[in-house]
Amino acid sequence: MTVSPTPPAAASEPDWLRLDRQICFSLHAASRAFNGVYRVILKDLGLTYPQYLVMLVLWEQGDLPVKKLGEHLRLDSGTLSPLVKRLEGAGLVRRERSAQDERSVQVRLTEEGVALREQALQVPRRILAATGFDPAEIGALRERLDQLTTALDAAALDEAQSRR
């Protein structure tokens, strides 16, 4: 049996399977571009982008159990634990078992980790400059992306429940 190729879409119908029509690819490409800029900027701090995200949460929230840290970053413990371990090796955080619950590990900033925050203050300004957007445009984009994330989380949950 010979399978013939799918005929091209009608002239008035957009080809939804084109790569340049995929929002997921646009977000992926933007994310990779961001990572490239962050890689250069964060080199001076001795951090990778994922490590920077961990530090942002700790600077904002203070000491946290690994589980809560993972919830803030949307990372599972298998991904987060090596990040925290490398930050501990760099002397920026320390991990301590909770006295109340031996299963829980608390992540705390060291003095060096607290001090690094001062150096990191220049990072958002440099990222903003790299985008060419003004702060209002960045805020609007972030808001739309948050809405997109919420909608996709709900759609994934609905899809998972419909498959049960």
Side-chain angles (χ1 to χ4, degrees), residues 66 75-83:
V66 170
L75 294 174
D76 61 47
S77 63
T79 302
L80 185 57
S81 291
L83 285 171

Side-chain angles (χ1 to χ4, degrees), residues 25-36 49:
F25 183 73
S26 295
L27 289 168
H28 172 73
S31 179
R32 289 187 53 85
F34 260 118
N35 286 340
Y49 177 68

Side-chain angles (χ1 to χ4, degrees), residues 8 22 39 42 44 58 79 112 118 135 141 144-145 152 164:
Q22 307 304 307
R39 188 177 308 111
L42 294 173
D44 295 340
L58 293 172
T79 302
E112 293 86 0
E118 196 63 34
L141 177 58
R144 292 295 289 167
L145 290 171
L152 292 173
R164 288 185 187 165

Side-chain angles (χ1 to χ4, degrees), residues 3 7 9 17 30 47 50 52 58 63 65 73 82-83 87-88 100-101 104 112 114 121 123-124 126 134 155 159:
V3 177
L17 294 180
L47 296 174
Y52 174 68
L58 293 172
D63 303 347
L73 295 169
L83 285 171
L87 288 169
E88 187 175 39
Q100 293 80 21
D101 181 357
S104 179
E112 293 86 0
V114 171
L121 289 172
V123 173
R126 291 177 67 186
D134 66 40
E159 187 68 28

Side-chain angles (χ1 to χ4, degrees), residues 2 4 9 14 38 59 83 107 116 122 126 130 137-139 146 160:
T2 306
S4 59
Y38 271 107
W59 288 326
L83 285 171
V107 182
L116 187 62
Q122 48 82 23
R126 291 177 67 186
E137 290 172 312
I138 291 291
D146 289 346

Side-chain angles (χ1 to χ4, degrees), residues 104-129:
S104 179
V105 175
Q106 192 84 358
V107 182
R108 302 178 188 284
L109 289 167
T110 63
E111 286 183 31
E112 293 86 0
V114 171
L116 187 62
R117 184 180 186 281
E118 196 63 34
Q119 284 180 263
L121 289 172
Q122 48 82 23
V123 173
R125 286 189 288 275
R126 291 177 67 186
I127 292 297
L128 180 64

